[in-house]
Amino acid sequence: MPAYHSSFNGQQYRQLGNMALLPVNTTFKGPAPRGDGSQDIVDEALYYFKANVFFKNYEIKGEADRVLMYLTLYTTECLKKMTRCRTKNDALKEMNTLALANFPPPGDPNFPLNAFYDKTKDRAEEDQMRQYLLQLRQELGARLAPKVFEGDKPSKWWLCFSKKKFMDKTLAARGV
C-alpha cells in the first residue's frame, strides 16, 4: 500500500524553496494565503498522519508533499510533548511554546531533512519560509490539541503514535 499524498499536488501555488505556499484556514499571522474554509493542508496532515507515520519511504510527488511531510514529522513532535500534558489547556500552551521555539528552516545545516528540500534563494525567502512554517506549526498545534483531548483525558489512540518515526526521521534530532 502506498503512502498518502497531498491533494494539492499538481495545482499552481507560489513556492518557497521547493515547498508550495498553500492556503491555510487560520487566524495566525503569516504569509500563507487565507483558506476558503474547505479542507487545507493542516487538515490533510492530521487526516493522513496515522496512516503515513508507518512508512519508512515516502515518494514526493509534488511541492505540497513536502509540506505534508514536514507537518507529519511536526505532528509526531507535538504528540511527544502532549504525553506530559494533563488537560487540553496544558496541551494548547505546550503546542504554542513548541511552535514558537527556535527551529531551523530547510537549507539550514541543522535541518534534518535537507536531502528533500531546496535551500531558499536569499535571506528574504528564508525569513518568509520560517514565517510560513511557524504559521503552519501554530495552526497544527491549535487543531491537534482538541483532537487528542476530546474529553478530560488524552486519547490513547493519538498518543500511541508519539513514539513512531515517519521515514525514521525526527525534527527534534538536531534541535527543533
Side-chain angles (χ1 to χ4, degrees):
M1 184 175 154
Y4 290 98
H5 296 277
S6 177
S7 63
F8 293 97
N9 285 330
Q11 299 176 35
Q12 294 295 348
Y13 293 102
R14 201 170 128 236
Q15 291 185 2
L16 294 172
N18 60 350
M19 282 178 72
L21 185 63
L22 301 169
V24 180
N25 301 320
T26 185
T27 57
F28 294 103
K29 190 174 152 188
R34 293 277 178 231
D36 59 4
S38 61
Q39 185 180 31
D40 63 8
I41 191 67
V42 177
D43 292 328
E44 240 181 31
L46 292 172
Y47 183 75
Y48 292 139
F49 172 76
K50 291 179 181 180
N52 278 352
V53 76
F54 288 105
F55 288 96
K56 302 293 180 203
N57 298 311
Y58 188 76
E59 179 186 0
I60 296 171
K61 294 189 175 184
E63 290 76 18
D65 277 347
R66 287 183 178 85
V67 180
L68 184 63
M69 191 166 82
Y70 181 86
L71 290 175
T72 300
L73 290 165
Y74 183 68
T75 302
T76 304
E77 297 307 315
C78 290
L79 290 173
K80 285 178 191 174
K81 293 286 186 183
M82 283 191 202
T83 58
R84 294 181 235 135
C85 299
R86 295 197 181 275
T87 66
K88 183 167 43 173
N89 283 339
D90 290 345
L92 286 168
K93 288 177 190 173
E94 193 67 38
M95 292 304 92
N96 191 42
T97 302
L98 181 61
L100 296 174
N102 193 20
F103 62 93
D108 186 282
N110 293 324
F111 187 71
L113 302 168
N114 276 330
F116 301 101
Y117 295 86
D118 288 345
K119 188 175 173 138
T120 52
K121 291 181 282 195
D122 54 24
R123 180 74 177 157
E125 190 177 71
E126 181 183 326
D127 289 342
Q128 196 168 27
M129 170 78 79
R130 188 181 297 273
Q131 290 170 1
Y132 178 53
L133 292 177
L134 174 63
Q135 186 179 20
L136 290 172
R137 289 163 64 108
Q138 288 174 312
E139 187 60 33
L140 189 136
R143 292 189 203 176
L144 181 60
K147 286 183 180 293
V148 173
F149 287 86
E150 286 180 357
D152 349 345
K153 295 183 178 181
S155 167
K156 66 180 180 181
W157 303 114
W158 272 99
L159 294 183
C160 68
F161 291 94
S162 66
K163 292 185 168 87
K164 293 287 180 195
K165 286 187 177 181
F166 176 58
M167 298 176 28
D168 283 332
K169 303 280 184 193
T170 178
L171 290 177
R174 297 186 189 171
V176 172

